[in-house]
Amino acid sequence: KSTTAFPIITLIITIMIRRTTSLASAAAAKPTDRIKVAILGSGMSGCSAAATLLDSSSNNNHNFDISVYEGGRGIGGRMSTRRINDESGKTMYQFDHGCQYISAPKTECFRKELDKWKERGWVQPWEGTFATVSVASTGAPASSSSSDIELSVESPSDVKERYVGYPTMNTICENLLLQPKSEQSTINVVTGKQARAVAMHHSKKEETDQPPWQLYHKDELLGSYDWLVVTDRNSAQELRPDLADANVMEFKQVNEHIQSIKSCTTMIAFEKPLPLPFDGLTFDHHSNHAVMREQFQSLGWAARDSSKPGRSRNSDSPECWVLQSNPEEAVRLLEQDELRDATLPQIREKIREQMVNDFMNCIPTLMGKSGGEESKQIMGTFKIVDSMGHRWGGAFPSFVKQELFQEMESQVFPEKQFVACGDYFGTYAARVEGAFLSGRAAANEILTCAGR
């Protein structure tokens, strides 16, 4: 115990000393300086950081030139929306294949922010029917029979707050980045480019106007920056090129105490609506994991995506469903021998195949049917128009030493002009709220170091 605690304590003290030293010298910053900030990732924490900096520029003498680099095809990170377009480019249907909804705020800060989003039309409440499927608690040993399964619908008195981006989940992130905020500051969003940060090593005694960071995509120089904001905890992994040349060993050492939980998602478009009495369903594997696995296999969540505001279907458009895996079953699925050397498309296809099969097989049970020929006839009436699988490499944080991250909403190294944020910091980890608060804290660290 004591041998592992000393390096951690030393690291935290070192961070505090470095921050104090840098803050003392921050007063020398010129009030009219333009500060160039690079943000890696366009998820909620990155968008929150960018929006906070832009908002601040009208209240202080610093102007920011912000560049947000997103390796994926669109803005949003795990708040992304998958759009399926026709040949003309028109969206036929869409899926919120990451974050499913925003829960009731835990803090006054996020409550005020959510109220702003509601006023601006960025979010709307998801007022669907929600249920939980579990193994009935009878006191007797549960068998694998479907008769042990019970479906509990959320009562009107227990309805929880649920909000979704309108008309898509990633609308929130898009608006945070793209809505004009300041005439003094600028923002540039680049998608489809995985940025690699290179630390420019300057001697402390050396006077130079060269910024401490350069960003590359492969061999292409993307730009030079005064501050680097990293929003993906997986950037610290050795196999990732993001920070291979960044000289931020302190960040990587702290990140050894956190792991990423993988998740599998499958999107299905049905020709006609499914006759299921809910719009969102939680599969409670804790009630009896053995029975739940026998009955529902990989499934952890199922949502009628078309029931969300802005996603309603026309008479001739398909009904869209999103399936998400149970964490333990995701590991079981992804660690199969046949996927050991598989390509990403092969992994996605295996996910699609498995989860579609699991969902189709359990529909009769969820409808209250007993099985047999009747179930086969029911399943034959549900025609799938389209389906696709997706693997989230870091869907949720899992902590080895959670107290390290609960005590800080972001992690700043002022001398290196580097700050990390994400949904793994603070008290509300793995929530949209936690990601928002962390991004806001990261931006405030930059503002503090700049002397506001």
Side-chain angles (χ1 to χ4, degrees), residues 189-211:
V189 181
V190 180
T191 59
K193 290 190 175 183
Q194 191 74 39
R196 174 174 58 89
V198 177
M200 308 306 292
H201 302 284
H202 303 307
S203 168
K204 293 182 179 179
K205 297 181 180 180
E206 180 185 356
E207 293 292 333
T208 177
D209 292 330
Q210 186 177 14

Tab-separated table of all heavy atoms in Angstrom, residues 189-211:
chain	number	residue	atom	x	y	z
A	189	VAL	N	-13.126	24.175	-36.832
A	189	VAL	CA	-13.403	22.768	-36.529
A	189	VAL	C	-12.953	21.909	-37.706
A	189	VAL	O	-13.367	22.135	-38.849
A	189	VAL	CB	-14.899	22.538	-36.243
A	189	VAL	CG1	-15.154	21.075	-35.910
A	189	VAL	CG2	-15.368	23.443	-35.101
A	190	VAL	N	-12.105	20.936	-37.421
A	190	VAL	CA	-11.569	20.037	-38.452
A	190	VAL	C	-11.977	18.610	-38.105
A	190	VAL	O	-11.650	18.115	-37.021
A	190	VAL	CB	-10.033	20.138	-38.542
A	190	VAL	CG1	-9.505	19.187	-39.619
A	190	VAL	CG2	-9.593	21.571	-38.833
A	191	THR	N	-12.693	17.950	-38.990
A	191	THR	CA	-13.102	16.560	-38.766
A	191	THR	C	-12.345	15.634	-39.712
A	191	THR	O	-11.819	16.064	-40.745
A	191	THR	CB	-14.612	16.390	-38.979
A	191	THR	OG1	-14.941	16.778	-40.330
A	191	THR	CG2	-15.403	17.261	-38.015
A	192	GLY	N	-12.298	14.375	-39.347
A	192	GLY	CA	-11.670	13.378	-40.207
A	192	GLY	C	-10.156	13.393	-40.177
A	192	GLY	O	-9.513	12.773	-41.030
A	193	LYS	N	-9.560	14.066	-39.182
A	193	LYS	CA	-8.103	14.108	-39.072
A	193	LYS	C	-7.689	13.804	-37.639
A	193	LYS	O	-8.064	14.534	-36.716
A	193	LYS	CB	-7.552	15.467	-39.497
A	193	LYS	CG	-7.674	15.736	-40.993
A	193	LYS	CD	-6.905	16.965	-41.420
A	193	LYS	CE	-6.959	17.132	-42.937
A	193	LYS	NZ	-6.162	18.288	-43.407
A	194	GLN	N	-6.935	12.720	-37.469
A	194	GLN	CA	-6.427	12.346	-36.157
A	194	GLN	C	-5.169	13.154	-35.893
A	194	GLN	O	-4.139	12.953	-36.524
A	194	GLN	CB	-6.117	10.850	-36.119
A	194	GLN	CG	-5.823	10.312	-34.731
A	194	GLN	CD	-7.075	10.193	-33.886
A	194	GLN	OE1	-8.123	9.803	-34.382
A	194	GLN	NE2	-6.962	10.534	-32.614
A	195	ALA	N	-5.255	14.101	-34.966
A	195	ALA	CA	-4.135	15.002	-34.714
A	195	ALA	C	-3.106	14.364	-33.786
A	195	ALA	O	-3.461	13.668	-32.834
A	195	ALA	CB	-4.642	16.311	-34.124
A	196	ARG	N	-1.843	14.634	-34.077
A	196	ARG	CA	-0.730	14.177	-33.241
A	196	ARG	C	0.005	15.399	-32.714
A	196	ARG	O	0.430	16.271	-33.473
A	196	ARG	CB	0.215	13.299	-34.074
A	196	ARG	CG	1.494	12.881	-33.354
A	196	ARG	CD	2.290	11.898	-34.205
A	196	ARG	NE	2.643	12.453	-35.508
A	196	ARG	CZ	3.751	13.157	-35.753
A	196	ARG	NH1	4.613	13.407	-34.768
A	196	ARG	NH2	3.998	13.612	-36.965
A	197	ALA	N	0.136	15.477	-31.388
A	197	ALA	CA	0.743	16.648	-30.752
A	197	ALA	C	2.241	16.431	-30.551
A	197	ALA	O	2.676	15.368	-30.091
A	197	ALA	CB	0.069	16.923	-29.421
A	198	VAL	N	3.019	17.435	-30.894
A	198	VAL	CA	4.472	17.398	-30.709
A	198	VAL	C	4.868	18.563	-29.822
A	198	VAL	O	4.563	19.730	-30.130
A	198	VAL	CB	5.218	17.497	-32.060
A	198	VAL	CG1	6.723	17.533	-31.834
A	198	VAL	CG2	4.831	16.331	-32.959
A	199	ALA	N	5.538	18.269	-28.705
A	199	ALA	CA	6.008	19.313	-27.800
A	199	ALA	C	7.289	19.925	-28.352
A	199	ALA	O	8.234	19.199	-28.685
A	199	ALA	CB	6.237	18.744	-26.412
A	200	MET	N	7.325	21.232	-28.468
A	200	MET	CA	8.516	21.944	-28.916
A	200	MET	C	9.341	22.274	-27.676
A	200	MET	O	8.926	23.080	-26.844
A	200	MET	CB	8.129	23.222	-29.653
A	200	MET	CG	7.116	22.991	-30.771
A	200	MET	SD	7.658	21.730	-31.966
A	200	MET	CE	9.046	22.600	-32.713
A	201	HIS	N	10.479	21.627	-27.508
A	201	HIS	CA	11.248	21.719	-26.275
A	201	HIS	C	12.101	22.979	-26.286
A	201	HIS	O	13.087	23.086	-27.009
A	201	HIS	CB	12.142	20.483	-26.112
A	201	HIS	CG	11.359	19.208	-26.108
A	201	HIS	ND1	10.638	18.795	-25.023
A	201	HIS	CD2	11.157	18.275	-27.076
A	201	HIS	CE1	10.051	17.653	-25.299
A	201	HIS	NE2	10.336	17.313	-26.539
A	202	HIS	N	11.696	23.933	-25.448
A	202	HIS	CA	12.453	25.178	-25.304
A	202	HIS	C	13.102	25.217	-23.931
A	202	HIS	O	12.504	24.797	-22.935
A	202	HIS	CB	11.540	26.397	-25.451
A	202	HIS	CG	10.798	26.438	-26.749
A	202	HIS	ND1	11.414	26.347	-27.965
A	202	HIS	CD2	9.470	26.553	-27.015
A	202	HIS	CE1	10.515	26.419	-28.930
A	202	HIS	NE2	9.317	26.538	-28.372
A	203	SER	N	14.299	25.730	-23.875
A	203	SER	CA	14.956	25.927	-22.595
A	203	SER	C	14.242	27.025	-21.827
A	203	SER	O	13.728	27.978	-22.408
A	203	SER	CB	16.426	26.317	-22.813
A	203	SER	OG	16.994	26.774	-21.603
A	204	LYS	N	14.187	26.911	-20.486
A	204	LYS	CA	13.523	27.921	-19.680
A	204	LYS	C	14.184	29.289	-19.842
A	204	LYS	O	13.538	30.316	-19.686
A	204	LYS	CB	13.537	27.506	-18.201
A	204	LYS	CG	12.693	26.278	-17.908
A	204	LYS	CD	12.708	25.950	-16.432
A	204	LYS	CE	11.846	24.737	-16.138
A	204	LYS	NZ	11.868	24.390	-14.691
A	205	LYS	N	15.497	29.279	-20.111
A	205	LYS	CA	16.217	30.542	-20.253
A	205	LYS	C	16.104	31.101	-21.658
A	205	LYS	O	16.477	32.247	-21.924
A	205	LYS	CB	17.696	30.329	-19.904
A	205	LYS	CG	17.914	29.892	-18.454
A	205	LYS	CD	19.396	29.734	-18.167
A	205	LYS	CE	19.622	29.300	-16.708
A	205	LYS	NZ	21.072	29.131	-16.408
A	206	GLU	N	15.604	30.307	-22.577
A	206	GLU	CA	15.545	30.709	-23.981
A	206	GLU	C	14.295	31.535	-24.246
A	206	GLU	O	13.172	31.136	-23.934
A	206	GLU	CB	15.520	29.460	-24.869
A	206	GLU	CG	15.460	29.772	-26.365
A	206	GLU	CD	15.321	28.517	-27.200
A	206	GLU	OE1	15.360	27.416	-26.611
A	206	GLU	OE2	15.172	28.641	-28.428
A	207	GLU	N	14.494	32.713	-24.769
A	207	GLU	CA	13.376	33.574	-25.129
A	207	GLU	C	12.949	33.235	-26.553
A	207	GLU	O	13.757	33.313	-27.482
A	207	GLU	CB	13.782	35.052	-25.038
A	207	GLU	CG	14.061	35.533	-23.620
A	207	GLU	CD	12.812	35.560	-22.758
A	207	GLU	OE1	11.719	35.706	-23.343
A	207	GLU	OE2	12.919	35.425	-21.525
A	208	THR	N	11.722	32.860	-26.743
A	208	THR	CA	11.247	32.499	-28.072
A	208	THR	C	9.778	32.836	-28.206
A	208	THR	O	9.027	32.794	-27.230
A	208	THR	CB	11.455	30.994	-28.347
A	208	THR	OG1	10.903	30.671	-29.631
A	208	THR	CG2	10.774	30.144	-27.291
A	209	ASP	N	9.388	33.204	-29.406
A	209	ASP	CA	7.982	33.474	-29.691
A	209	ASP	C	7.287	32.238	-30.242
A	209	ASP	O	6.099	32.286	-30.549
A	209	ASP	CB	7.858	34.619	-30.708
A	209	ASP	CG	8.309	35.956	-30.120
A	209	ASP	OD1	8.164	36.125	-28.897
A	209	ASP	OD2	8.800	36.801	-30.879
A	210	GLN	N	8.031	31.153	-30.396
A	210	GLN	CA	7.443	29.938	-30.963
A	210	GLN	C	6.554	29.266	-29.929
A	210	GLN	O	6.970	29.017	-28.803
A	210	GLN	CB	8.534	28.974	-31.408
A	210	GLN	CG	7.989	27.752	-32.129
A	210	GLN	CD	9.098	26.835	-32.637
A	210	GLN	OE1	10.232	26.975	-32.238
A	210	GLN	NE2	8.736	25.909	-33.509
A	211	PRO	N	5.315	28.965	-30.292
A	211	PRO	CA	4.403	28.286	-29.354
A	211	PRO	C	4.945	26.917	-28.969
A	211	PRO	O	5.711	26.287	-29.720
A	211	PRO	CB	3.097	28.163	-30.159
A	211	PRO	CG	3.192	29.222	-31.209
A	211	PRO	CD	4.642	29.309	-31.555
